[in-house]
Amino acid sequence: MDRYLCEPCGYVYDPKVGDPDHDIAPGTAFEDLPDDWVCPWCGLGKEVFVKE
């Protein structure tokens, strides 16, 4: 699974880890994240992420 970088702040969403602070289970692909999911560091939406 691909990792995705939040360009403004540098946070990397790694599907192997998920986002446990926001109840996103490990193994959740970026494409499967809810539409309202935001970067845990800066709060911006999925549209600012790019595939690493």
Side-chain angles (χ1 to χ4, degrees):
M1 280 192 223
D2 295 316
R3 294 168 18 130
Y4 283 77
L5 169 71
C6 180
E7 286 192 305
C9 77
Y11 171 81
V12 174
Y13 176 76
D14 185 345
K16 293 178 186 171
V17 177
D19 181 7
D21 293 337
H22 296 100
D23 296 324
I24 304 297
T28 303
F30 185 81
E31 297 81 10
D32 295 333
L33 291 171
D35 290 337
D36 61 351
W37 181 84
V38 296
C39 176
W41 287 3
C42 70
L44 295 175
K46 292 170 55 176
E47 67 277 356
V48 300
F49 282 75
V50 293
K51 189 185 326 186
E52 280 195 314

